[in-house]
Amino acid sequence: MSTSVKHREFVGEPMGDKEVTCIAGIGPTYGTKLTDAGFDKAYVLFGQYLLLKKDEDLFIEWLKETAGVTANHGKSAFNCLNEWAEQFI
């Protein structure tokens, strides 16, 4: 699987207080929509990923409903958070 620079940078270090737009697949437009919905930080979106029990289909569907994220961008975000979780928890 080929990953973006954004993906590699995100999974390469602790999440800390990073903005939600630091997650692969989440750019400024989706970031604004997620922030408006209360998901302004990467760790907040990661919490939603955990609440959905790390289920790819549920998470992508939730992103579509919450921020209008496309399936492709949703998959990128899921893969980014999933790989981060495998490395750090």
Side-chain angles (χ1 to χ4, degrees), residues 61-75:
E61 190 59 35
W62 178 85
L63 282 173
K64 286 181 190 176
E65 292 173 5
T66 305
V69 174
T70 65
N72 188 43
H73 286 101
K75 187 163 183 61

Side-chain angles (χ1 to χ4, degrees), residues 34 37 39 44-45 48-49 52 57-68:
L34 285 166
F39 297 87
V44 181
L45 190 59
Q48 184 65 25
Y49 158 86
L52 295 172
D57 294 333
L58 288 176
F59 185 73
I60 292 171
E61 190 59 35
W62 178 85
L63 282 173
K64 286 181 190 176
E65 292 173 5
T66 305

Side-chain angles (χ1 to χ4, degrees), residues 3-11 24:
T3 57
S4 67
V5 171
K6 192 173 182 180
H7 175 103
R8 290 189 301 273
E9 287 177 353
F10 186 83
V11 301

